[in-house]
Amino acid sequence: MTTPMLVASRNAAVGFDEGMRLLREGASALDAASAVVRIVEDNPEDHTVGYGGLPNLLGDVELDAMVMDGRTLKAGAVAALKGFRNPVLVARKVMEELPHVLLAGEGAARFAREMGFEEAELLTDEARRIWQERLTASDVPEDVARYYNHMRRFARDLARDPEQAAKDAGSGVMGTVVVLARDAQGNIAVATSTSGWAWKYPGRVGDTPIPGAGGYADNRYGAAACTGRGEMAMRAATARSVVLYMKMGLPLWNAAREATIDLYALDDEFANVLTLYAMDAHGGHVGFSNQPGRTYVFQTAEMDAPEERPCTFVDADGKAHIRSQDM
Ligand code: GLY
């Protein structure tokens, strides 16, 4: 028997009570991770995930989500899914019911309908207000391509000054929920979900539903998942990199540092925050980021509540600041 645990992005803390309850009762890591993510998807105050998520340029909420089971290396995912509240549950069904990994757009919505998921309006009044304010505050163009130029300007602002750009945009322009879980049998799983970049070009898909980019789990070595600018995690295969570095013999802390260093090789005029969360097969856990001041949460079955820890910040020279206590 191993000690069950959860490691996650900070916004997942609202679901930890339920995730821990499930793990203590013997539920699988996959069940626990999905349950925590589902709670965040249902939280209208979180404008980066599920119901209440900020929309794309046209005002449509498009959702991405994934699950991966470290026991079998099976994964299921949906991308650019509209009109369903819990994409993580649809992703799980993709894994269980189809010989596929990822369904996108209309196909994902059709599958969700066929699996009996209820359709729902995802754009809350608050998210619509933020979207409208953002668009009225700019010179609202007439067509999508010009919207896209607007988004490029915004993305540049974001790269220059993430905190200010996030404030201007409303809130949570690039958030995601990621949860890594380990159960009493030592099985590891990852679940992820996001509404993606606020004001993204319609159809844009980030790292969150891509196994190896936004999340990866392998019982033999550990698991990792990412939040932040998904394009970076996709190009660097960040989640898989962490696990692969561990397979090649690096301890967790060094593997996560190496994957963070890889981000600096990307030629990216929109380079921005990318934070990774990782655990090894022995219960070690870390958060790493290419930006200072990030945190992650974790809880073991022996703890009463989640604890917040600083992520280790790796600078452009590969120097790690704030060394995590969990090497
Ligand atoms: N990491 C979330 C996204 O880029 O969509």
Side-chain angles (χ1 to χ4, degrees), residues 137-260:
S138 67
D139 48 339
V140 181
E142 286 156 13
D143 54 38
V144 174
R146 291 179 63 201
Y147 270 135
Y148 183 58
N149 282 332
H150 163 71
M151 192 275 264
R152 287 177 69 84
R153 280 201 302 280
F154 172 63
R156 273 197 207 98
D157 293 348
L158 193 62
R160 270 198 298 268
D161 186 350
E163 304 303 334
Q164 188 56 42
K167 244 183 252 162
D168 292 349
S171 68
V173 289
M174 264 204 315
T176 304
V177 60
V178 301
V179 178
L180 320 179
R182 186 173 72 144
D183 62 30
Q185 278 67 50
N187 293 315
I188 294 173
V190 169
T192 65
S193 187
T194 188
S195 47
W197 265 30
W199 341 129
K200 62 192 172 187
Y201 194 93
R204 177 267 186 188
V205 172
D207 60 324
T208 303
I210 311 295
Y216 198 81
D218 184 332
N219 272 8
R220 296 171 297 174
Y221 311 107
C226 304
T227 62
R229 175 165 158 71
E231 281 77 0
M232 296 170 75
M234 292 162 92
R235 289 168 63 195
T238 303
R240 170 66 175 150
S241 292
V242 176
V243 176
L244 189 58
Y245 283 131
M246 286 196 279
K247 176 179 176 175
M248 301 310 283
L250 291 188
L252 173 63
W253 192 91
N254 304 67
R257 174 173 169 266
E258 208 57 45
T260 312

Side-chain angles (χ1 to χ4, degrees), residues 47-206:
H47 292 307
T48 67
V49 179
Y51 176 65
L54 292 176
N56 67 16
L57 285 166
L58 301 180
D60 292 328
V61 181
E62 287 183 327
L63 303 176
D64 302 335
M66 166 180 57
V67 294
M68 183 159 181
D69 186 347
R71 191 174 55 88
T72 56
L73 303 187
K74 285 184 179 170
V78 290
L81 174 64
K82 290 192 225 174
F84 292 88
R85 212 175 154 117
N86 295 118
V88 74
L89 302 185
V90 185
R92 175 118 184 229
K93 281 283 182 200
V94 172
M95 183 179 88
E96 290 169 351
E97 302 292 333
L98 295 177
H100 303 317
V101 169
L102 172 62
L103 293 182
E106 261 315 302
R110 164 187 281 267
F111 175 72
R113 236 173 267 124
E114 286 177 4
M115 288 295 112
F117 291 98
E118 253 178 56
E119 295 188 49
E121 174 56 71
L122 301 177
L123 188 65
T124 58
D125 290 345
E126 172 70 359
R128 183 182 286 107
R129 186 188 62 72
I130 297 169
W131 173 65
Q132 280 167 345
E133 267 176 18
R134 175 65 196 173
L135 293 182
T136 346
S138 67
D139 48 339
V140 181
E142 286 156 13
D143 54 38
V144 174
R146 291 179 63 201
Y147 270 135
Y148 183 58
N149 282 332
H150 163 71
M151 192 275 264
R152 287 177 69 84
R153 280 201 302 280
F154 172 63
R156 273 197 207 98
D157 293 348
L158 193 62
R160 270 198 298 268
D161 186 350
E163 304 303 334
Q164 188 56 42
K167 244 183 252 162
D168 292 349
S171 68
V173 289
M174 264 204 315
T176 304
V177 60
V178 301
V179 178
L180 320 179
R182 186 173 72 144
D183 62 30
Q185 278 67 50
N187 293 315
I188 294 173
V190 169
T192 65
S193 187
T194 188
S195 47
W197 265 30
W199 341 129
K200 62 192 172 187
Y201 194 93
R204 177 267 186 188
V205 172

Side-chain angles (χ1 to χ4, degrees), residues 194-315:
T194 188
S195 47
W197 265 30
W199 341 129
K200 62 192 172 187
Y201 194 93
R204 177 267 186 188
V205 172
D207 60 324
T208 303
I210 311 295
Y216 198 81
D218 184 332
N219 272 8
R220 296 171 297 174
Y221 311 107
C226 304
T227 62
R229 175 165 158 71
E231 281 77 0
M232 296 170 75
M234 292 162 92
R235 289 168 63 195
T238 303
R240 170 66 175 150
S241 292
V242 176
V243 176
L244 189 58
Y245 283 131
M246 286 196 279
K247 176 179 176 175
M248 301 310 283
L250 291 188
L252 173 63
W253 192 91
N254 304 67
R257 174 173 169 266
E258 208 57 45
T260 312
I261 289 172
D262 288 345
L263 300 171
Y264 287 105
L266 303 172
D267 181 355
D268 184 357
E269 67 178 306
F270 305 118
N272 200 269
V273 60
L274 202 284
T275 301
L276 65 89
Y277 313 78
M279 64 164 62
D280 64 21
H282 316 292
H285 52 91
V286 294
F288 269 67
S289 186
N290 63 351
Q291 298 275 332
R294 306 287 152 166
T295 60
Y296 72 103
V297 288
F298 83 100
Q299 185 177 359
T300 70
E302 288 151 357
M303 296 162 59
D304 292 333
E307 197 177 302
E308 193 168 347
R309 288 268 176 97
C311 291
T312 300
F313 162 52
V314 177
D315 67 22

